[in-house]
Amino acid sequence: MVLSKSCDYGLRAAVYVAAHGDGRFVPIGEIAEALGVSFHFLTKALQRLSQHRILTSSRGPKGGVALARPAEAISVREVVLAVDGDDLFERCVLGLDHCGDDHPCPLHGQWKAVKAEMERIFTETNLRLLAERMEVGGMRLTNLG
Amino acid sequence: MVLSKSCDYGLRAAVYVAAHGDGRFVPIGEIAEALGVSFHFLTKALQRLSQHRILTSSRGPKGGVALARPAEAISVREVVLAVDGDDLFERCVLGLDHCGDDHPCPLHGQWKAVKAEMERIFTETNLRLLAERMEVGGMRLTNLG
DNA sequence: GTTAATAAAGACTCGCTTGTCCGAAATGCC
DNA sequence: GGCATTTCGGACAAGCGAGTCTTTATTAAC
């Protein structure tokens, strides 16, 4: 899998908040139910996002999580880095350590281009863009059925 | 990780055979030692490649594995598909089932391009090409040290 | 035929990711 | 202050990939 489940859930949750938050704190239970994922497991992913100042949170009644910044100021790349680290953008496709321009594996040159393309796409895509695609493009964050 | 360890080992082993095989059967023990990986675990990965007619094998003395076809007729894509299946080229980046042009996730359009690029690169790269890069390009299949 | 070498196949352990559960801390509401 | 609601944090279980070990089957060499 390219993204871990934690990252996947965290990203989908962040988009949900961007689309349905409206400035309020959104309870994690509401997000978990909307996405059809485990509440407790989602909680852990969102804690990572809060620790990285991507989300803010509030306990108690009317509590929940909210975007720490405007949705257009949070890129997909940031969310991925917060949860999964930079392996996706840095690691050798063959799993070799220190594979770089100096000591490359035979696929390094081509894979480097793929990684750069992934990073570019994730950098230029922000949560507002994704939220808008859900609203006007009819795209979905959840499994069918 | 983009490729599983099995796939990683299988691919590196196939390139090793392409580069150092010279038509003979190469014992898996020799490959495992050259790559610095577990013999028994590598054996499992190579069994998958044999079952998919990418390698042939022979038991007993002077036995081992060999390429089932000329190295230029075996693409990286084939090896990846044999070991890891088509998840890498087919699966939704957000892990949604049935994410396609009809019911896309908000990242589908962009991720589709990344998947196509990965598949293109893996399709046009064959084992002979990789073996040549090791011989004339000084590229490496193993970890340093 | 005997022996040694080698792939094939399955059982087993280990560690990490995923997922569950429970208690503690915070906070709004009465 | 008391209570309900909600996040935070750690402990725990389950599932899966990674890695080890043992046995069996096959084959070349003598």
Side-chain angles (χ1 to χ4, degrees), chain A residues 2-34:
Chain A
V2 173
L3 301 181
S4 70
K5 280 282 182 193
S6 285
C7 186
D8 163 12
Y9 290 0
L11 184 53
R12 285 162 62 196
V15 174
Y16 178 89
V17 172
H20 301 96
D22 303 318
R24 71 187 164 120
F25 284 106
V26 184
I28 299 178
E30 172 187 332
I31 306 174
E33 190 174 9

Side-chain angles (χ1 to χ4, degrees), chain A residues 27-28 44 57 59-61 64:
Chain A
I28 299 178
K44 290 187 195 305
S57 65
R59 298 183 184 183

Side-chain angles (χ1 to χ4, degrees), chain B residues 14-33:
Chain B
V15 175
Y16 178 89
V17 172
H20 301 97
D22 303 318
R24 71 186 164 120
F25 284 105
V26 184
I28 299 178
E30 172 187 331
I31 306 174
E33 190 174 9

Side-chain angles (χ1 to χ4, degrees), chain A residues 34-52:
Chain A
L35 299 183
V37 305
S38 152
F39 165 71
H40 291 287
F41 190 61
L42 177 60
T43 292
K44 290 187 195 305
L46 297 189
Q47 279 174 21
R48 300 273 278 277
L49 296 184
S50 294
Q51 289 159 359
H52 279 79

